[in-house]
Every structure is written in structure tokens, then in C-alpha cells.
């Protein structure tokens, strides 16, 4: 080739290679920028765009062909960089999903462990009963067999449908009795578990085994029975894993087709949404049923799971519930749940395509953007316009990613709030369920102790003992009220009225002085003109009393001071202390300050959590401050705490003030005296409650007709309705509910007073607030004095109509 021609080609090619080199360097810088955080990454991208823009403005090409080559090279590099971005985005989304699934698996694991621990505790409570262990030796002679049958039946029915059966074995592992009756042969695995407990004499959680009659796996939990140091036998319960699955695992949803499953440490599926899969070995059984399928990746996954490890995986497998099995890509997160010497594997499975689909949509969007940029690069001549367009697109991406991050953070917080709300709802449901039974038990205790106290003179031999029983029952009633805070919601019917905050504070402190120990000094700084608030009088009283009680309990046996102060403040002043309240309203500030033991930072963060307490077992429930915060939130107020270990604590409560006077102080209604020679129809399905209330009301001078069946009570009222002045009925009864009975009674005789009583506090209060057929409501457990006052108030109201 001619030397002149060679020189011209080299000179003409220099700009092309020069620009390609520069763009390649930018690509390397961009790829490294991806490793930084979002803000720094986009700062570097912006800097690269600015430099390219300046170079293109200065660039001069003699040939248009060279410019086109540079444009094409830039488009290819941009496409590569976008693909790298997409690839990293895809990995991040998949990792995030796997971690979410792993957290869910851990949650299921903790729930199963907690459920099993609760079963062990319930069996232990049964076996620690001295009467339970004492007479086991006499069972073979048939002396107390019926007693033990009743105990096992009561335990079985109390624990609910999760139990398959409960057994009692003697000290040699021989079956003495069981509930339900009828099962003649004990499973060999259960027998081995019983022998293990007989030898080791300690709690044992056995292997799962298949109950072929019910086609479900069974878990046995066995507990030794001791009379003192003497080993007497074994109590063993069978738990249905089908019920555990429906309760704890089935509600978990992982995508559209995903599910949660459980296998034991030998690879046998013990819980699965497809019932036909239960009992199959996850590898061996499937190979026998489907020998032509590829199990290589599934085998590797199962091998790692059965080592008791925790982790995640991406693998190929099949949807075993489909009619036609085809190989698909899956995500899996797994964790062990350890039960005694055994462990299960909790595994969450979902389709990889459910994650890939939104990622592919993202790629399509990016590809569209790239195509648009490439078209602009090819069509537009001005590099400046092209670079400005790219800059605008990058800015849009920055805003989009920022919004995406903010939305993701909000979603995470909402999920945490939802989980916390769900947990409280579960606890509230449990509390509301047992409250009715506890209140029914406390009603006879309160009633009979009241009657005995009235019949005995003060100073008599048993007066103080009966008074202690009465006070203990009242404390039990207060504890149930605190526990029921979980089952109440903001829509419950609560009486709201306006009253003086100074007045209720003084009344509460007057009561507090009667229980304060002598080593505690109470200082009051309460202004008379602190105004009025609108709320529930009893709840505000409870807030003040609980805070003061916590204060003197923090002082313990040491000498100390509790300082109570009350003043009015403006919302703007409160908000300066990082408290979110309306700046346009005035508030009252209640301060409870003590010189007690104080709190460290970790305790201070958790004091408002339910059931959190620093007191020893038996001294506190951990509900006091939780109830206080719940009440203050419902009254649109706020509470703050300042504390230092060894220096005491200071609680500040802010409640909104209102204009006007107190309803309680303006209550000047007419007083009417009602004679007690009135006839009452008393209805409750609990015979013990009927008996004590009938006896108490007759003692007060009323004529009482009692009935345990609501339908028969209605018939009695219909046959002689003119003689009845008041009907007192339980709310929750078989047949007719209390509200339904009240409606029928009002149809027969409109001017009959109806009093509703119940242990289901929230539900009953809603009935009272929404039903004008109910004249009054009283919650269980019932004190006769309070019931008498309610009756007199209803009689007053009926006489004024």
C-alpha cells in the first residue's frame, strides 16, 4: 500500500479509537459505581454524563461515518451497562424474597416450638396436682379410676381439638386409663416413648407417627408423675399435626402457588397442603411414584435440610399437586424446629417465575428506554441534545428509585405494625375467651363472701379470713380487667363524660394514701384550676393509680418520695420536647416522679410492651403501663418517661382540656327511694351464679324467681308478666341470648326493667350501646352491693317514665 494512503487511514482512524477508548473507560467507572450506595452511584453517573457532554461539544469529525461509529459504540456500551444493572437488580430482589421467606419460616418454627412448650406446661400443671399423683397406685384396684377419667376428660376438653388423645400409664409403663375411650392398642412408637420416660423419668417429646385411622401424623408429649420423690407414672398426650398445620402453617401464603410444608429429620413429609403428599418420603416415595423425573437438584436441597441447617436455595423441581408434572424453577427457604431430641424442617416454596415476571417487566422498561435513547442518538445530530436527554432520563430514574426506596420502607413498617397488631389480636382473643369463665368463677366467691361478711360481726373468729377472700376475689377481678385490655378495641362502648382533672387526681391520691407504705412520702403539687377533660372517669382513675403504684413499688423497702404535680400547658410547649400533639390545643400535664430504682435504656424502651415486667414472678403481670398507654392513646393524649438507673423515674401524662364544666359535678337529677319488695326474674345458665345471686337478692329484700334456661324463663315471664318488675339476664346463653330475651320481654311488657350481665365485656357493651331495650349493664364477676345499686337505678328510671 502507498505510504500516503497508509498515513491518511491512520490519521482518519485516530478519532474513532480515541472516542471508543474513552467510552470504554466510562463503562468501567460506571460498573464500579454500582458497588456504592444509591446517592453516590448517581453522583458518579451524573459526573460521567457531564464529561461526555463536554467532550462531544468540543468534538469535530471530518467524516460523518466516524461519528456514527462512535454513536453505535456508545449505544452498545450503554446496553451492556443497563444489562449489568438489571442483573444486579434481579439478584437483589431474589435475595430479598429469599430472606423474607426465611423470616417467615423462622416465625413458623418459633410458633411450633411455643405451641409445644405450652402443651408441656399444661401437662406439667396436671401432673403437679398432689391429688393427681397420690392415688395412682390404687387405680388397679378400681378405687379412683372414675376420678382419673374425669381429670383426663377435663384436661382433654380444656386443651381443645388439637389433642388426639390423653393417656395415663403406671410406673411400669402399663396403660391405666385414657380419654377418649375405645382405643385398644397403643402405637409402638408411643410405647417406646413411654418406656423412655419410665427409664429417664423426665419430659420427652417423641417421634411423629402416622395415625392410619385419621390419616394424620401424631406427635406425643410425655411427662412423668411424681408424688414427692416417688415416681408414680406417666401422662402422655397425642397432638394432631393436622390441627397444628391448619392453625399455624396453612394461613401462610407464599405467592400464588407457593406453600409451607414440614418434614421430619428422616425426610418424611408430615405436613403439606396436598394431603396425598403427607406420609411420603420427599425423595424415595416420589421416585417410586414418578421414576422418570429428574430429582438431582431436589436431592441436594433435601440432603442439606436434613442436616438441620438453615438456608435458602434456587433449584428445579415440580408442583406435586398438579395433574401434569413439569419441571419448573423454584425458590426455597428452610429452617429447623427443634423438639426435644428430634427436629423438623420448615420449608417455604414458591415459583421462581413469580419473581422473574416483575423483573422481566423492569427489563422491558429498561430496553424501551435504551431503544429510545438509541433512536435519539441515531436521529439527532446534536450531541448536546442527546446528552441533555440522557441526563433528564437519569434524573427521572433517580426520583423513581428514591420513591421506590421510600415506598419499600413504608411497606416494611406497615408489615411490622400488621404483625404486631395480629399478635395482640391473638392474645386478645385468648384473653376474651377465658375471661368469661374466670368471671363466672369469681361471681360465687364474691357473692358468698359478701353475704358472710354481712352476717358476721366485725372481730369475729372468721371475719378477717372471709374479708381476705373477698379482697382476693376483687384483685382477681381487677387483673381480668387488665388482661381484657387486649380484647378491647377503639370501637368499644365506653362512657365518656367531662370532669375536673384536679378532682379525680385528689380522689385517687386519697385512695393511694391508704395503701402507701410508711417508708414512702407523698408530696402533692396540684392546682385547683387545672380545668376539665372529657373521658372515662374510671380509666383516668386507673391511669393515675397505676403510675403511683409503679412509683412506690420502684422505691421498694427503701425510704423515698413520690411527687405528684398537675399544671396546664400549651401544645406548642409540649411539642418542643419531641411529643406529637396539636399545637392549637391546651393540655393538662400530670407528673408522677419518684426516687426509686430507676431504669436503664433497654428497660425504658420496653416498659409499654404487654407482659413485660422487671418484677419477680408473682409480683407483677406486665400489663399496668401497657394499659396506661392504651387508655391515654384513646383519650388523644401522650405519655413520656425520663429515668436513670439508681436515680428514679419521672412519668408525664398529657391530656387535652375542654371548655365547660364537669358532667359529674352538674348531676343534680331527682332522688327516688324504691322499696325492695320487688319481684325479679333472674336468668343465667350457670347454676352456681344463679344460686348465689338469688340468695343475695333475697337477703336484700327482693322476691326472686331463678331460671337456668332462657326459653323457660320467657315462658314463665309470659305466664305471669304483671308480677315481674325487673329481669336480670346473662348475655351469652344457649338458645336465646340475653339481648334476644330482652327484646321478647319488652314486646310482652314494655315497662319491665332489663339488666344485662356478662363476662364478655366488649361485646356486651356494644349491645347495650346499640340496643335501647337494655336498661342497664353489669359486668361479671358481680358484687351484690353494686348489683343492688344498679337495680335501684333501673327502678328509679322505670318510676320516672
Amino acid at each position: 500500500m502507498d505510504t500516503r494512503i497508509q498515513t491518511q487511514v491512520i490519521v482518519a482512524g485516530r478519532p474513532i479509537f480515541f472516542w471508543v477508548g474513552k467510552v470504554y473507560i466510562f463503562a468501567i467507572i460506571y460498573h464500579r459505581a454500582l458497588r456504592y450506595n444509591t446517592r453516590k452511584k448517581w453522583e458518579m453517573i451524573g459526573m460521567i454524563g457531564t464529561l461526555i457532554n463536554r467532550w462531544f461539544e468540543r468534538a469535530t469529525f471530518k467524516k460523518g461515518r466516524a461519528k456514527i461509529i462512535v454513536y453505535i459504540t456508545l449505544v452498545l456500551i450503554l446496553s451492556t451497562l443497563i444489562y449489568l444493572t438489571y442483573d444486579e437488580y434481579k439478584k437483589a430482589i431474589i435475595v430479598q424474597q429469599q430472606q423474607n421467606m426465611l423470616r417467615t419460616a423462622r416465625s413458623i418454627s418459633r410458633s411450633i416450638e411455643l405451641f409445644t412448650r405450652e402443651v408441656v406446661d399444661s401437662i406439667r400443671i396436671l401432673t403437679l396436682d398432689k391429688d393427681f399423683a397420690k392415688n395412682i397406685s390404687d387405680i388397679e384396684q378400681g378405687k379412683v379410676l372414675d376420678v382419673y377419667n374425669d381429670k383426663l376428660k377435663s384436661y382433654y376438653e380444656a386443651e381443645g381439638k388439637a389433642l388426639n388423645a390423653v393417656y395415663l400409664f403406671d410406673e411400669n409403663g402399663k396403660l391405666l386409663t385414657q380419654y377418649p375411650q375405645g382405643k385398644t392398642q397403643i402405637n409402638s412408637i408411643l410405647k417406646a416413648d413411654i418406656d423412655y420416660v419410665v427409664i429417664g423419668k423426665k419430659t420427652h417429646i417423641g417421634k411423629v407417627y402416622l395415625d392410619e385411622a385419621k390419616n394424620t401424623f401424631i406427635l406425643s408429649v410425655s411427662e412423668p408423675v411424681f408424688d414427692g420423690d416417688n415416681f408414680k407414672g406417666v401422662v402422655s398426650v397425642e397432638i394432631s399435626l393436622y390441627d397444628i398445620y391448619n392453625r399455624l402453617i396453612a394461613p401462610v401464603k407464599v405467592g400464588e402457588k407457593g406453600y409451607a410444608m414440614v418434614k421430619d429429620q428422616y425426610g418424611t413429609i408430615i405436613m403439606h397442603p396436598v394431603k396425598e403428599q403427607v406420609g411420603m418420603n420427599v425423595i424415595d416415595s416420589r421416585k417410586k411414584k414418578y421414576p422418570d423425573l429428574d430429582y438431582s437438584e431436589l436431592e441436594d436441597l433435601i440432603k442439606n435440610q436434613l442436616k438441620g441447617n438453615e438456608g435458602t436455595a434456587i433449584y428445579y423441581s415440580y408442583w406435586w399437586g398438579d395433574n401434569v408434572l413439569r419441571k419448573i424453577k423454584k425458590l426455597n427457604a428452610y429452617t429447623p424446629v427443634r423438639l426435644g431430641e428430634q427436629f423438623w424442617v420448615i420449608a417455604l416454596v414458591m415459583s421462581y417465575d413469580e419473581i422473574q415476571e416483575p423483573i422481566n417487566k423492569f427489563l422491558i422498561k429498561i430496553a424501551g428506554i435504551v431503544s429510545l435513547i438509541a433512536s435519539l442518538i441515531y436521529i439527532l445530530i446534536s450531541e448536546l441534545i442527546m446528552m441533555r436527554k440522557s441526563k433528564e432520563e437519569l434524573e427521572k430514574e433517580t426520583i423513581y428509585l428514591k420513591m421506590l426506596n421510600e415506598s419499600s420502607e413504608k411497606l416494611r413498617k406497615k408489615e411490622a405494625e400488621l404483625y404486631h397488631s395480629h399478635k395482640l389480636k391473638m392474645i386478645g382473643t385468648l384473653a376474651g375467651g377465658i375471661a368469661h369463665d374466670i368471671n363466672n368463677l369469681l361471681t360465687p366467691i364474691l357473692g358468698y363472701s359478701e353475704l358472710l361478711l354481712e352476717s358476721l360481726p366485725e372481730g369475729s373468729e372468721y371475719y378477717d379470713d372471709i374479708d381476705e377472700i373477698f379482697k382476693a376475689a376483687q384483685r382477681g377481678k381487677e387483673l381480668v380487667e387488665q388482661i381484657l385490655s387486649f380484647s378491647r378495641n377503639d370501637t368499644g362502648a365506653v362512657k365518656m363524660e367531662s370532669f375536673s382533672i384536679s378532682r379525680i387526681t385528689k380522689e385517687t391520691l386519697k385512695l393511694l394514701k391508704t395503701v402507701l407504705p410508711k417508708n414512702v412520702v407523698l408530696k402533692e403539687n396540684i392546682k385547683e384550676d387545672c380545668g376539665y377533660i372529657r373521658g372515662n372517669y374510671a380509666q383516668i382513675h386507673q391511669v393515675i393509680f397505676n403510675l403511683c403504684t409503679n412509683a412506690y413499688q420502684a422505691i421498694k423497702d427503701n425510704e423515698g418520695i413520690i411527687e405528684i404535680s398537675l399544671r396546664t400547658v400549651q401544645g406548642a410547649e409540649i411539642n418542643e420536647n419531641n411529643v406529637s400533639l396539636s399545637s392549637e390545643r391546651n393540655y393538662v400535664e400530670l407528673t408522677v416522679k419518684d426516687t426509686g430504682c430507676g431504669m436503664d435504656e433497654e428497660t425504658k424502651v420496653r416498659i409499654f410492651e404487654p407482659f413485660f415486667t422487671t418484677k419477680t414472678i408473682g409480683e407483677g403481670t406486665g400489663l399496668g403501663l401497657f394499659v396506661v398507654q392504651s387508655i391515654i392513646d384513646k383519650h388523644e393524649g401522650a405519655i413520656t418517661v425520663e429515668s436513670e438507673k439508681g436515680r428514679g423515674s419521672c412519668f408525664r401524662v398529657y391530656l387535652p382540656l375542654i371548655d365547660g364544666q364537669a358532667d359529674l359535678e352538674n348531676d343534680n337529677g331527682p332522688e327516688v327511694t324504691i322499696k325492695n319488695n320487688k319481684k325479679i326474674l333472674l336468668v343465667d345458665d350457670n347454676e352456681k351464679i344463679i344460686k348465689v345471686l338469688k340468695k343475695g337478692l333475697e337477703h336484700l329484700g327482693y322476691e326472686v324467681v331463678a331460671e337456668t334456661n332462657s326459653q323457660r324463663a320467657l315462658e314463665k315471664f309470659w305466664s305471669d308478666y304483671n308480677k315481674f318488675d325487673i329481669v336480670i339476664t346473662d348475655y351469652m346463653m344457649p338458645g336465646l341470648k340475653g339481648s334476644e330475651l330482652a327484646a321478647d320481654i319488652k314486646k310482652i311488657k314494655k315497662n319491665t326493667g332489663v339488666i344485662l350481665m356478662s363476662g364478655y365485656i366488649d361485646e356486651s357493651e356494644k349491645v347495650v350501646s346499640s340496643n335501647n331495650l337494655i336498661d342497664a349493664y353489669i359486668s361479671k364477676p358481680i358484687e351484690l352491693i353494686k348489683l343492688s345499686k344498679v337495680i335501684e337505678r333501673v327502678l328509679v328510671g322505670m318510676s320516672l317514665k
Side-chain angles (χ1 to χ4, degrees):
M1 181 182 294
D2 186 84
T3 305
R4 272 188 316 174
I5 298 175
Q6 288 181 346
T7 303
Q8 290 175 356
V9 170
I10 293 172
V11 172
R14 282 178 182 173
I16 298 174
F17 294 117
F18 175 74
W19 285 104
V20 171
K22 283 188 176 183
V23 173
Y24 181 72
I25 292 171
F26 288 147
I28 294 174
I29 296 173
Y30 175 85
H31 184 62
R32 292 187 177 181
L34 293 175
R35 302 177 183 176
Y36 295 104
N37 58 47
T38 304
R39 181 179 177 183
K40 192 169 183 179
K41 180 194 303 182
W42 290 108
E43 287 178 353
M44 294 189 70
I45 293 172
M47 180 185 70
I48 294 171
T50 302
L51 291 175
I52 292 177
N53 183 40
R54 290 178 181 174
W55 284 351
F56 269 113
E57 287 176 350
R58 298 175 183 174
T60 56
F61 294 97
K62 295 181 179 179
K63 301 285 186 179
R65 187 178 298 174
K67 186 180 292 186
I68 293 173
I69 293 174
V70 173
Y71 287 145
I72 294 173
T73 305
L74 183 58
V75 169
L76 292 175
I77 293 176
L78 285 174
S79 301
T80 303
L81 295 178
I82 290 172
Y83 174 78
L84 293 174
T85 304
Y86 155 78
D87 188 57
E88 291 197 15
Y89 171 77
K90 179 177 71 173
K91 291 177 182 177
I93 293 296
I94 292 172
V95 169
Q96 183 181 14
Q97 181 62 27
Q98 287 178 319
Q99 292 304 311
N100 288 339
M101 292 169 64
L102 187 57
R103 282 193 290 270
T104 304
R106 289 171 183 161
S107 177
I108 294 174
S109 173
R110 287 193 296 270
S111 298
I112 293 176
E113 289 177 350
L114 180 60
F115 176 85
T116 309
R117 195 176 305 127
E118 289 175 350
V119 173
V120 172
D121 290 343
S122 68
I123 302 174
R124 192 163 293 161
I125 291 171
L126 178 65
T127 59
L128 289 177
D129 184 0
K130 293 181 180 179
D131 294 333
F132 186 88
K134 186 179 295 181
N135 299 316
I136 290 182
S137 302
D138 297 330
I139 291 181
E140 294 183 356
Q141 287 77 32
K143 295 180 179 180
V144 288
L145 183 59
D146 292 339
V147 175
Y148 280 91
N149 286 337
D150 291 341
K151 287 180 179 290
L152 295 185
K153 179 181 178 182
S154 299
Y155 172 78
Y156 179 90
E157 293 176 348
E159 291 302 312
K161 63 181 181 180
L163 298 188
N164 192 50
V166 56
Y167 303 93
L168 176 62
F169 299 86
D170 66 11
E171 58 189 356
N172 297 316
K174 177 184 176 182
L175 178 63
L176 298 177
T177 185
Q178 67 185 58
Y179 189 85
Q181 300 290 335
K183 191 172 183 180
T184 58
Q185 189 169 359
I186 303 299
N187 186 279
S188 60
I189 296 178
L190 175 59
K191 180 61 178 171
D193 292 337
I194 299 303
D195 294 338
Y196 182 91
V197 179
V198 170
I199 296 171
K201 297 178 177 55
K202 60 182 181 179
T203 304
H204 178 62
I205 300 175
K207 298 178 182 177
V208 296
Y209 53 88
L210 184 64
D211 185 341
E212 296 180 355
K214 296 184 178 181
N215 193 27
T216 183
F217 274 91
I218 300 297
L219 172 68
S220 68
V221 180
S222 304
E223 177 73 18
V225 182
F226 290 92
D227 183 9
D229 295 330
N230 298 322
F231 174 66
K232 287 291 186 178
V234 180
V235 174
S236 180
V237 300
E238 291 181 338
I239 305 171
S240 170
L241 297 193
Y242 179 77
D243 185 74
I244 293 178
Y245 181 84
N246 288 336
R247 184 185 302 183
L248 303 178
I249 302 176
V252 176
K253 301 299 180 184
V254 191
E256 293 183 5
K257 294 191 67 174
Y259 56 84
M261 63 173 291
V262 184
K263 60 182 79 69
D264 65 12
Q265 65 190 75
Y266 307 103
T268 302
I269 299 173
I270 58 177
M271 286 183 266
H272 197 282
V274 180
K275 204 165 185 180
E276 291 75 15
Q277 295 289 314
V278 176
M280 297 178 64
N281 184 280
V282 71
I283 297 297
D284 297 338
S285 299
R286 288 170 175 170
K287 279 187 174 181
K288 290 179 182 179
K289 190 172 183 180
Y290 311 107
D292 298 327
L293 300 181
D294 180 12
Y295 297 90
S296 57
E297 294 189 16
L298 181 60
E299 286 178 324
D300 293 338
L301 172 63
I302 300 303
K303 188 182 297 182
N304 196 36
Q305 290 179 347
L306 298 184
K307 292 179 181 177
N309 297 330
E310 178 183 83
T312 60
I314 300 175
Y315 65 107
Y316 282 92
S317 184
Y318 306 86
W319 289 122
W320 304 104
D322 289 351
N323 295 327
V324 179
L325 299 181
R326 57 187 184 86
K327 195 172 183 180
I328 63 166
K329 198 172 184 181
K330 292 184 177 181
L331 294 177
N332 190 294
Y334 54 90
T335 189
V337 50
R338 303 194 181 277
L339 303 173
E341 299 175 359
Q342 312 295 322
F343 75 88
W344 301 344
V345 178
I346 310 296
L348 267 68
V349 183
M350 74 172 294
S351 173
Y352 185 88
D353 292 338
E354 293 186 37
I355 300 296
Q356 185 67 37
E357 183 178 353
I359 296 175
N360 288 341
K361 290 181 179 179
F362 175 79
L363 177 60
I364 292 172
K365 290 180 181 179
I366 296 297
I369 294 174
V370 171
S371 300
L372 178 61
I373 294 175
S375 300
L376 291 174
I377 291 174
Y378 183 79
I379 295 172
L380 299 177
I381 304 299
S382 173
E383 293 85 356
L384 179 61
I385 297 176
M386 183 274 295
M387 291 307 301
R388 286 178 180 174
K389 188 67 177 179
S390 298
K391 183 179 179 181
E392 290 174 2
E393 293 296 329
L394 290 174
E395 288 176 351
K396 290 179 181 179
E397 281 295 315
T398 304
I399 295 171
Y400 171 75
L401 289 175
K402 184 178 179 180
M403 292 173 60
L404 186 64
N405 288 335
E406 291 175 353
S407 300
S408 177
E409 181 65 20
K410 289 180 181 178
L411 181 60
R412 186 191 64 79
K413 291 180 179 179
K414 289 294 182 183
E415 287 176 349
E417 292 174 1
L418 182 62
Y419 173 76
H420 183 68
S421 174
H422 180 64
K423 181 172 68 175
L424 290 182
K425 185 177 179 181
M426 290 178 64
I427 299 174
T429 301
L430 176 62
I434 66 174
H436 181 259
D437 293 333
I438 295 175
N439 287 334
N440 280 341
L441 293 174
L442 288 175
T443 295
I445 299 173
L446 284 168
Y448 285 120
S449 57
E450 273 188 287
L451 290 173
L452 288 172
L453 286 174
E454 289 186 8
S455 62
L456 291 175
E458 290 190 26
S460 63
E461 181 180 0
Y462 299 108
Y463 186 88
D464 291 338
D465 297 338
I466 296 170
D467 188 47
E468 286 299 320
I469 294 173
F470 180 72
K471 290 178 180 177
Q474 284 184 318
R475 286 194 291 271
K477 177 182 179 181
E478 293 170 359
L479 181 58
V480 171
E481 282 288 340
Q482 286 188 333
I483 295 175
L484 281 172
S485 299
F486 286 107
S487 61
R488 294 181 174 175
N489 53 45
D490 293 337
T491 61
V494 178
K495 183 180 180 182
M496 304 296 283
E497 53 200 351
S498 57
F499 50 85
S500 168
I501 185 64
S502 302
R503 172 186 169 187
I504 190 174
T505 303
K506 289 184 177 181
E507 289 180 357
T508 306
L509 295 183
K510 184 177 179 181
L511 175 64
L512 180 69
K513 290 174 183 177
T514 63
V515 297
L516 274 181
K518 295 181 180 180
N519 58 299
V520 177
V521 177
L522 184 65
K523 291 185 178 181
E524 302 178 32
N525 183 18
I526 301 172
K527 296 182 179 180
E528 295 289 343
D529 56 347
C530 286
Y532 300 90
I533 66 171
R534 184 163 186 82
N536 181 268
Y537 195 87
Q539 289 184 350
I540 298 301
H541 169 85
Q542 186 179 9
V543 168
I544 302 171
F545 194 83
N546 280 7
L547 291 176
C548 294
T549 301
N550 278 354
Y552 79 71
Q553 288 177 348
I555 297 174
K556 297 182 179 178
D557 298 329
N558 304 319
E559 293 186 357
I561 300 172
I562 299 177
E563 185 177 347
I564 314 296
S565 60
L566 201 65
R567 69 186 184 102
T568 57
V569 292
Q570 293 182 343
E573 179 183 346
I574 302 172
N575 293 338
E576 292 177 359
N577 298 324
N578 296 323
V579 180
S580 259
L581 291 173
S582 174
S583 301
E584 299 177 357
R585 299 184 68 175
N586 292 327
Y587 293 83
V588 62
E589 179 189 71
L590 170 69
T591 304
V592 180
K593 186 176 182 181
D594 65 75
T595 58
C597 59
M599 297 175 284
D600 55 29
E601 288 299 321
E602 182 180 354
T603 303
K604 195 163 64 173
V605 170
R606 299 188 60 194
I607 56 173
F608 295 109
E609 293 182 8
F611 300 112
F612 174 77
T613 178
T614 58
K615 301 181 179 71
T616 58
I617 297 175
E619 290 187 3
T621 62
L623 290 173
L625 288 177
F626 169 76
V627 172
V628 166
Q629 188 182 48
S630 300
I631 292 172
I632 293 171
D633 289 344
K634 289 179 181 179
H635 285 73
E636 299 180 357
I639 183 171
T640 64
V641 58
E642 299 171 8
S643 185
E644 186 177 343
K645 192 73 174 177
R647 300 290 296 275
S649 303
C650 179
F651 287 84
R652 288 187 172 86
V653 175
Y654 299 97
L655 295 170
L657 292 169
I658 63 168
D659 297 328
Q661 293 186 342
D663 295 337
L664 296 177
E665 295 172 356
N666 295 332
D667 186 8
N668 298 318
E671 295 184 1
V672 179
T673 302
I674 301 296
K675 294 182 179 180
N676 289 338
N677 56 350
K678 298 292 182 179
K679 192 169 184 179
I680 297 174
L681 176 60
L682 181 62
V683 189
D684 196 304
D685 60 333
N686 190 309
E687 293 184 0
K688 294 181 180 179
I689 293 177
I690 281 287
K691 185 177 179 181
V692 67
L693 293 182
K694 184 176 186 298
K695 190 172 184 179
L697 290 172
E698 288 176 345
H699 177 76
L700 294 173
Y702 296 103
E703 182 182 350
V704 181
V705 176
E707 182 57 65
T708 58
N709 183 285
S710 56
Q711 189 63 47
R712 289 200 300 267
L714 181 61
E715 293 171 359
K716 281 187 179 181
F717 183 83
W718 173 260
S719 64
D720 199 9
Y721 58 84
N722 285 323
K723 292 186 179 180
F724 289 105
D725 302 288
I726 282 186
V727 176
I728 303 175
T729 176
D730 187 26
Y731 171 66
M732 189 61 68
M733 296 182 294
L736 288 175
K737 286 186 178 180
S739 56
E740 296 169 341
L741 178 61
D744 291 339
I745 285 172
K746 290 289 187 179
K747 289 178 183 178
I748 299 170
K749 183 181 177 184
K750 190 173 182 181
N751 62 339
T752 303
V754 178
I755 299 175
L756 187 70
M757 56 183 181
S758 177
Y760 295 101
I761 292 179
D762 271 359
E763 188 173 353
S764 305
E765 288 179 349
K766 290 178 185 177
V767 171
V768 174
S769 64
S770 61
N771 189 346
N772 56 12
L773 300 176
I774 307 299
D775 297 292
Y777 161 73
I778 184 168
S779 63
K780 294 180 181 178
I782 296 171
E783 298 177 38
L784 292 175
I785 294 176
K786 292 184 178 178
L787 178 58
S788 175
K789 291 180 180 179
V790 173
I791 293 172
E792 290 179 3
R793 191 166 66 246
V794 172
L795 290 173
V796 170
M798 299 305 296
S799 66
L800 295 177
K801 288 184 178 180

